[in-house]
Amino acid sequence: MTFISPAPGRRPPRRSRWLRTAAAATAVIALAAPAPAAFAAVDDAPDETVTATLAPGAGGVVPASGDLTLTLTADNPGPDAVPAGAATVGIGSDPLVSTAAIASWLDSGSTGASFDDVGEIAMPEVASEQSASAALTIDAGDAPIDDLDPGVYPVRAVYGTGEDSLRARTVLVVPDTGAPARQIGVVVPITAGPQSTGVLSSEQLSELTAEGGDLREQVDAVTGTPAILAVDPAITASIRALGSAAPADAVAWLDDLIALPNDRFALQYGDADLAAQIGAGEASPLRPVSFAAYLDPTNFGAPVVDGEATPTPTPTPEEPTLPTLEELFDVGADRDSVFWPATGTAGAETVAALGAVTGGDDAPVTLLPSSVVRSDAGAHAVSADTDLLLYDAGLSRLLEDASATDADTARGALLAEFTARAAVGDLADPLLVTVDRSNGRSQAALRGAIDAATGLPGWTATDLDGLLAAPATAVDVDSVPADQDRVAVIDGFRAAQGGLQRISGVLDDPTLLTSSVRATELQLLGNAWLDDREGWDAAIQAQRERIATWTDGVALVLGGPITLAGTSAPLVFTVRNDLPWPARVDLLASPGDARLVIESTTEVEIGAQQTSRVAIPVSALVGSGESSVDLQLRTPSGVEIGRSETVEVSVRAEWESVALVILIVLVSALLVFGVVRTVRRRKRMPVAP
């Protein structure tokens, strides 16, 4: 299938990443009630409110021995500096026994527990529009921490500066070392962000895989962890398709990825939106059927050593061996047919369609959030004979927000909440969580989220096989309508299929065009665009214009009427090629009546994005008159391209005789003139004595 997009409709945009992070951070910090004037929320200047965040180290887990660190960070967005002060830290004596109790404490500070002070944090002055942090280190063996039973405990810091004060809240987890170990799987995506072209360019790959690039940060973050990787095969294909021209950093990155021992599976090409494809009527997910547009045979010749090509054993050069689709898309997965729709986009309809996909070596498995399943099932579930892996939606959301938060203290507060909710929640064994898709996150933030998930006290990491080995629970999956804007785009893509198939026939290899279009449109359906609606609209419009250009990529360029001044002469026409590849067409010409005799078919070759002039021999059977020529472009296989064109021809064959008489008269006159001049010159010459 090939695509072209209509103008997409509007829908409310998704909540931006910073809003979700801000909401999560708000769950950790709150103002004292009543709030003093210096820290109170002001209706007309809410952005100038000073806030404080408190976070423990190690994901909120109290170590069995050693030090426990609590960090307090104050953010001052206002114009005036906040003076230095002291923050008193206290730990509740009674545990929080449910997720509701944890939420109540973090949201509003509601708890019936008394607090024991464990120390003070000396906070420095916080300059205008700046942040400042300070930490308190406590020996975990000291009272009252050493006296706490296993559980989740509230922690607060009262930050005072004179008469002003601010409260920040977090939680600590005292692990139960005697509880039986349980299993947890952590899925982490490896993606390149939103793309508007079929492959990542060499320049993009260089930037993304170099030190500090997004892809390098992701691979470094998962290295040494037991995370389950969900890899976009468009990345591996983009690198391998460059062959010997691939950037050194990209080649090293790919080698590092493949060498990782982590369990993994492949996402759809470009991490394309599965739910939208199913919602548009596709029986199975779309995928590239060729990569011809991106493979340059010159990059797959003999290996180069010391600047010279390795000699071949025979004098006859061999055709380079191009990689297959399987080789291009290989991400090192041991299991195929694993599908992970973007969180919140897929429901029962998508599950049923994906469960019926055939052609893989393994039975289809679909990852879904627990929020669309009406039961308390474990990680492994089944719906109408379709295998599901259910990840905890609430815990995964905390991990995603933490992985997208660069502020260490705010991230630590989110991870502490994650650990606390996991400790008191009635969680199934095995448990599945995700560090969901996000663009531009740092290695430290992503690694912190992975470590918090895989390092939960009393849990050991497992892989896909371990999750699927658990007994499956039968569940009912809620219906989730597909995004109609994306469905409309796919419908528009499909409508362009006929025109693109016709025009591709002018190429020696029609898959050059179809492979380019398919890969690009799958990238445009990527889930990374869900957080950038404005950018997505612009990218879809650009693709629509590109396809419109290509659909009419080869055509005649006609001028006005033509005058045929003679009984036979060539008629010259121009054919343009707007495609980025050379084209070959047949130009069919037929006379409008019997007064003209025309060579019917002429083969035309046009270079990429060039024009070519073609001459068609024509003979006239009359002296003069008005006639016409009908023109039609066809592919070498006979498929018509565009509509038939008619050119008016004025035949003036008698002009040829007139021109000949005039030419004879002129030549004769010149001869007579020459003779006369010569005779007169001779008469004037002197006679010798």
Side-chain angles (χ1 to χ4, degrees):
M1 188 187 90
T2 18
F3 311 137
I4 195 172
S5 145
R10 294 286 177 182
R11 65 180 177 90
R14 288 185 64 190
R15 207 167 42 156
S16 66
R17 185 81 59 204
W18 72 268
L19 283 176
R20 294 202 301 273
T21 302
T26 304
V28 187
I29 58 175
L31 295 175
F39 298 102
V42 182
D43 290 342
D44 58 353
D47 293 335
E48 296 184 359
T49 303
V50 180
T51 59
T53 307
L54 180 66
V61 179
V62 176
S65 61
D67 294 335
L68 168 67
T69 301
L70 291 163
T71 302
L72 181 65
T73 296
D75 294 304
N76 177 23
D80 300 322
V82 176
T88 301
V89 179
I91 299 179
S93 57
D94 298 325
L96 304 170
V97 296
S98 66
T99 55
I102 293 173
S104 178
W105 163 247
L106 294 177
D107 290 344
S108 62
S110 175
T111 179
S114 59
F115 284 80
D116 297 319
D117 292 341
V118 294
E120 286 189 347
I121 300 176
M123 291 296 297
E125 179 183 276
V126 187
S128 171
E129 299 182 356
Q130 299 295 321
S131 299
S133 298
L136 171 66
T137 300
I138 310 169
D139 189 331
D142 292 346
I145 297 177
D146 188 50
D147 298 331
L148 298 175
D149 293 328
V152 177
Y153 292 86
V155 183
R156 71 184 182 188
V158 181
Y159 173 22
T161 55
E163 296 181 356
D164 300 328
S165 65
L166 186 68
R167 294 175 184 259
R169 295 183 286 274
T170 188
V171 287
L172 283 176
V173 178
V174 178
D176 184 0
T177 57
R182 295 185 286 177
Q183 290 188 317
I184 183 172
V186 183
V187 177
V188 180
I190 304 294
T191 57
Q195 302 296 322
S196 58
T197 56
V199 296
L200 282 76
S201 68
S202 178
E203 292 75 15
Q204 287 178 299
L205 289 170
S206 294
E207 179 181 351
L208 290 170
T209 58
E211 194 68 28
D214 283 354
L215 289 177
R216 172 50 66 185
E217 295 279 282
Q218 293 174 44
V219 165
D220 288 350
V222 301
T223 299
T225 73
I228 302 168
L229 309 182
V231 185
D232 178 3
I235 305 171
T236 63
S238 297
I239 298 173
R240 293 189 179 112
L242 290 173
S244 60
D249 285 335
V251 174
W253 179 90
L254 181 58
D255 291 341
D256 291 345
L257 172 69
I258 298 300
L260 291 175
N262 300 64
D263 192 20
R264 68 195 72 188
F265 63 91
L267 295 166
Q268 308 325 115
Y269 188 91
D271 191 22
D273 190 337
L274 289 164
Q277 295 174 56
I278 301 304
E282 296 294 335
S284 61
L286 300 166
R287 61 180 182 178
V289 295
S290 170
F291 226 60
Y294 306 111
L295 297 175
D296 185 351
T298 60
N299 294 330
F300 296 91
V304 176
V305 179
D306 296 332
E308 295 183 1
T310 301
T312 58
T314 60
T316 303
E318 298 180 357
E319 287 293 328
T321 301
L322 301 181
T324 64
L325 286 178
E326 290 72 19
E327 292 169 338
L328 289 167
F329 298 154
D330 177 34
V331 300
D334 293 325
R335 171 182 288 275
D336 58 16
S337 300
V338 179
F339 304 107
W340 184 14
T343 300
T345 64
E349 305 84 354
T350 305
V351 167
L354 295 177
V357 172
T358 59
D361 295 331
D362 302 303
V365 177
T366 302
L367 277 68
L368 285 179
S370 58
S371 55
V372 298
V373 175
R374 289 168 285 174
S375 76
D376 296 326
H380 189 197
V382 63
S383 174
D385 298 327
T386 299
D387 267 328
L388 304 176
L389 286 176
L390 304 177
Y391 53 94
D392 189 286
L395 295 179
S396 297
R397 188 176 304 110
L398 287 170
L399 290 176
E400 179 193 0
D401 289 339
S403 73
T405 302
D406 288 329
D408 292 341
T409 307
R411 182 170 64 251
L414 290 166
L415 295 179
E417 181 181 356
F418 165 82
T419 306
R421 288 179 178 271
V424 302
D426 185 16
L427 304 177
D429 180 20
L431 171 68
L432 178 62
V433 295
T434 68
V435 186
D436 214 337
R437 301 163 172 93
S438 183
N439 302 325
R441 49 194 173 192
S442 68
Q443 175 187 342
L446 180 56
R447 182 60 174 258
I450 297 171
D451 287 345
T454 57
L456 279 176
W459 296 81
T460 59
T462 187
D463 56 14
L464 288 174
D465 289 338
L467 295 169
L468 292 169
T473 304
V475 296
D476 292 327
V477 181
D478 292 337
S479 174
V480 177
D483 185 328
Q484 292 305 303
D485 289 342
R486 291 193 155 214
V487 170
V489 165
I490 295 175
D491 289 340
F493 288 170
R494 189 183 291 121
Q497 179 180 5
L500 289 169
Q501 288 290 348
R502 284 192 298 273
I503 201 66
S504 67
V506 304
L507 307 177
D508 289 337
D509 182 1
T511 61
L512 288 171
L513 187 148
T514 55
S515 62
S516 172
V517 172
R518 171 62 63 84
T520 299
E521 290 167 345
L522 287 175
Q523 291 276 29
L524 290 172
L525 291 175
N527 291 308
W529 287 107
L530 290 172
D531 288 333
D532 183 10
R533 179 54 189 267
E534 183 177 350
W536 184 69
D537 286 343
I540 289 294
Q541 179 62 23
Q543 176 68 357
R544 177 169 55 175
E545 294 171 358
R546 184 183 304 115
I547 297 305
T549 298
W550 287 359
T551 302
D552 186 38
V554 178
L556 286 162
V557 180
L558 297 179
I562 298 175
T563 299
L564 180 62
T567 57
S568 62
L571 298 183
V572 180
F573 301 100
T574 300
V575 182
R576 62 171 172 81
N577 174 21
D578 293 335
L579 300 176
W581 307 280
R584 178 182 290 111
V585 295
D586 290 336
L587 176 58
L588 278 67
S590 57
D593 54 49
R595 287 178 288 182
L596 296 179
V597 177
I598 300 176
E599 185 175 326
S600 61
T601 302
T602 304
E603 185 177 287
V604 187
E605 293 186 6
I606 320 111
Q609 296 179 329
Q610 296 180 12
T611 59
S612 179
R613 293 169 65 84
V614 53
I616 300 177
V618 177
S619 299
L621 299 181
V622 294
S624 63
E626 300 299 323
S627 185
S628 63
V629 176
D630 296 327
L631 302 172
Q632 175 69 63
L633 288 179
R634 291 185 181 178
T635 68
S637 61
V639 178
E640 293 184 354
I641 303 172
R643 63 171 185 244
S644 175
E645 301 285 355
T646 300
V647 177
E648 301 298 328
V649 178
S650 297
V651 181
R652 296 294 181 264
E654 71 277 7
W655 288 8
E656 186 178 43
S657 300
V658 173
L660 182 60
V661 171
I662 293 173
L663 180 61
I664 292 172
V665 171
L666 288 175
V667 172
S668 300
L670 289 173
L671 288 174
V672 171
F673 176 76
V675 171
V676 171
R677 184 180 180 188
T678 301
V679 170
R680 294 182 64 184
R681 182 181 299 169
R682 285 180 177 275
K683 287 183 177 181
R684 288 196 299 266
M685 291 176 61
V687 179

